[in-house]
Amino acid sequence: MTEATTTANTDAPASRSSRDKLLASALACFDEHGLTGMTIEQIRRQANSSIGSLYHHFGNREGLIAALFLQLLDDQLAWSRTAIDAATTPYETLHALIHGYLDWVTHHPVEARFMYAARSEVARGENAAALKEKNRQRIGLLLAVLKAGIKSGSIRSLPPETFASLLVGPSENYCRAWLADRVQGKPVAHADVFVDAAWRAISATPCE
Amino acid sequence: MTEATTTANTDAPASRSSRDKLLASALACFDEHGLTGMTIEQIRRQANSSIGSLYHHFGNREGLIAALFLQLLDDQLAWSRTAIDAATTPYETLHALIHGYLDWVTHHPVEARFMYAARSEVARGENAAALKEKNRQRIGLLLAVLKAGIKSGSIRSLPPETFASLLVGPSENYCRAWLADRVQGKPVAHADVFVDAAWRAISATPCE
DNA sequence: ATTAATTCTAGAATATTATTCTAATATGAC
DNA sequence: GTCATATTAGAATAATATTCTAGAATTAAT
């Protein structure tokens, strides 16, 4: 579903593996019925697959949800990876991070809605460790940049565990609101507002 | 469960209605097994109730979850209501709002975890309207204060639909991280950081 | 190419869980 | 007390997840 949603797939539909079709089908069923409403039978039928095949690939319902979640998480990180790696200053890093996040959600609303809905279940299930590891990588990368900024004086000293929340908290909150139809403007349309707010929150000299 | 967690209940346990016992039991089962893992049978047994009673009060599983969610939402709003009403300036309002939120989550971790987990399901179920109405009330109150602030020049002009995210986004994000054991410090311990960040985000003169 | 090992698919059988349904019991109004 | 209504009970049923066994496809080795 990664490929299918991000690019026009040049391969014939039949070339998509059974596993991928099941993941794509799970996402579609989630969109239609919600996380608790979607059933194994629906997913299996829409993927033209069998119960046996589904359980062979994913073990159980939770495994299917976790697999979809982790794949989407990789997608999301890859989306802004290039821009983040190209950034040289803390501000550029922050800009790439937030803009990339807002942009990904704007272009993948169903995927994002699924991730918000599934995260807490994944975090307590069998694959909790895999999720924690990916989180640590992301946070580690970010904290390194910020600590350098603190030393150089461009970023003020704050409790390290609050940095991530200050940076992406407003963006995440707005994305959730958008996906729940509580606000109308696409997330990426407010990128400047959220980048600016993040910079004000952590910059030593926000008014210059 | 509301009473039980916020105050020492002076009534005898038997005085608690069957409905309330079911709600309390649902919360406990959620804590132990997660939203998708908790079963009607578990909830019924822990509440010393019957299947018929449960369905009489809540209609179905979704109704039970929604009832618990909406009750906790009222709890949460009431928690900081006094402080918010007492506030006279935009900064005081903002302070009361954020501090109250962080304080409630800190003192009601299980309830908060449940709310984060259940919100998206409630938002698409039968009780979506009830949730939307409560949200509108909260947002409306807030926007009134902010618009007055913009007119008086103390708050800068921003897209109205981004205000709520700028104010509570970081706090909410941090609370989720805390409840998922990704950070250690209690949310309310960082209240100053988040109040300050919110003020920087929306103030016309953050550096004075 | 043939065999053997492995992976994958199928779907009936089973187990688990949610929900319905009917009857009985309490509660409150008059 | 009698009626009406609300509540409780739990067996019966329906919906759903999971297991299990067998067979088909694929791969690797010779």
Side-chain angles (χ1 to χ4, degrees):
Chain A
M1 153 264 346
T2 299
E3 307 167 298
T5 52
T6 56
T7 68
N9 196 336
T10 54
D11 299 336
S15 74
R16 191 195 263 171
S17 75
S18 166
R19 190 175 186 278
D20 287 348
K21 278 200 288 188
L22 283 164
L23 288 172
S25 175
L27 185 63
C29 289
F30 162 79
D31 190 32
E32 193 170 356
H33 302 105
L35 194 63
T36 57
M38 73 187 193
T39 71
I40 297 289
E41 170 60 19
Q42 287 163 8
I43 296 167
R44 176 208 69 74
R45 185 175 36 214
Q46 185 159 344
N48 269 314
S49 188
S50 67
I51 297 176
S53 192
L54 192 153
Y55 278 86
H56 169 74
H57 286 298
F58 303 107
N60 56 23
R61 192 189 138 98
E62 175 190 308
L64 169 59
I65 290 169
L68 179 54
F69 180 89
L70 292 171
Q71 172 174 332
L72 291 175
L73 189 58
D74 284 339
D75 250 36
Q76 196 181 40
L77 296 186
W79 185 264
S80 45
R81 191 49 166 281
T82 312
I84 290 177
D85 288 347
T88 56
T89 67
Y91 180 83
E92 281 174 10
T93 303
L94 169 161
H95 186 284
L97 181 79
I98 293 174
H99 192 281
Y101 184 81
L102 295 167
D103 199 44
W104 188 85
V105 174
T106 301
H107 290 90
H108 302 82
V110 180
E111 287 85 346
R113 195 181 288 116
F114 172 82
M115 291 188 73
Y116 290 137
R119 168 170 276 156
S120 63
E121 292 296 325
V122 175
R124 56 170 300 139
E126 294 286 331
N127 302 78
L131 174 53
K132 271 207 162 158
E133 178 53 29
K134 284 188 206 287
N135 275 334
R136 189 139 42 107
Q137 285 179 8
R138 181 155 61 159
I139 290 288
L141 202 70
L142 183 62
L143 282 188
V145 173
L146 295 174
K147 278 185 179 150
I150 294 174
K151 256 193 182 155
S152 78
S154 64
I155 292 177
R156 63 197 186 119
S157 181
L158 289 167
E161 59 188 7
T162 66
F163 271 121
S165 297
L166 292 171
L167 293 182
V168 306
S171 295
E172 180 184 318
N173 183 279
Y174 187 86
C175 288
R176 286 182 191 268
W178 181 62
L179 294 171
D181 261 325
R182 297 201 303 272
V183 295
Q184 294 305 309
K186 293 182 181 183
V188 75
H190 296 306
D192 289 345
V193 172
F194 292 120
V195 169
D196 181 51
W199 184 243
R200 282 174 178 240
I202 70 166
S203 169
T205 57
C207 297
E208 287 175 11
Chain B
M1 148 263 347
T2 299
E3 307 167 299
T5 50
T6 54
T7 68
N9 195 337
T10 52
D11 300 336
S15 75
R16 190 196 263 173
S17 75
S18 165
R19 190 174 186 279
D20 287 347
K21 277 199 288 187
L22 283 164
L23 288 172
S25 175
L27 185 63
C29 289
F30 162 79
D31 190 32
E32 193 171 354
H33 302 105
L35 194 63
T36 58
M38 73 187 192
T39 71
I40 297 290
E41 171 58 21
Q42 286 163 6
I43 296 166
R44 177 207 69 72
R45 184 175 36 216
Q46 185 159 343
N48 268 314
S49 188
S50 67
I51 296 175
S53 191
L54 191 153
Y55 278 87
H56 169 74
H57 286 298
F58 303 107
N60 55 24
R61 193 188 136 99
E62 174 190 308
L64 170 60
I65 289 170
L68 180 54
F69 181 89
L70 292 171
Q71 173 175 329
L72 291 175
L73 189 58
D74 283 339
D75 251 36
Q76 196 182 39
L77 296 186
W79 185 264
S80 44
R81 192 47 166 283
T82 312
I84 289 177
D85 288 347
T88 56
T89 67
Y91 180 83
E92 280 175 11
T93 304
L94 170 160
H95 186 285
L97 181 79
I98 293 174
H99 192 281
Y101 184 81
L102 294 167
D103 199 44
W104 188 85
V105 173
T106 301
H107 289 91
H108 302 82
V110 181
E111 287 86 346
R113 195 182 289 117
F114 172 82
M115 291 188 73
Y116 289 136
R119 168 168 276 157
S120 64
E121 292 295 325
V122 175
R124 56 170 302 140
E126 295 286 330
N127 302 77
L131 174 53
K132 271 207 162 159
E133 178 53 29
K134 282 188 207 289
N135 274 334
R136 189 138 42 105
Q137 285 179 8
R138 181 156 63 161
I139 290 289
L141 201 72
L142 183 62
L143 282 188
V145 173
L146 295 174
K147 278 185 178 151
I150 293 174
K151 256 193 181 155
S152 79
S154 64
I155 292 178
R156 62 194 187 123
S157 181
L158 289 168
E161 57 188 9
T162 66
F163 270 122
S165 297
L166 292 171
L167 292 182
V168 306
S171 296
E172 180 184 317
N173 183 280
Y174 187 87
C175 288
R176 287 182 191 269
W178 182 61
L179 294 171
D181 262 325
R182 296 201 303 272
V183 296
Q184 293 306 309
K186 293 182 181 183
V188 75
H190 296 305
D192 289 346
V193 171
F194 292 121
V195 168
D196 181 50
W199 184 243
R200 282 174 178 239
I202 69 166
S203 169
T205 57
C207 297
E208 288 177 8

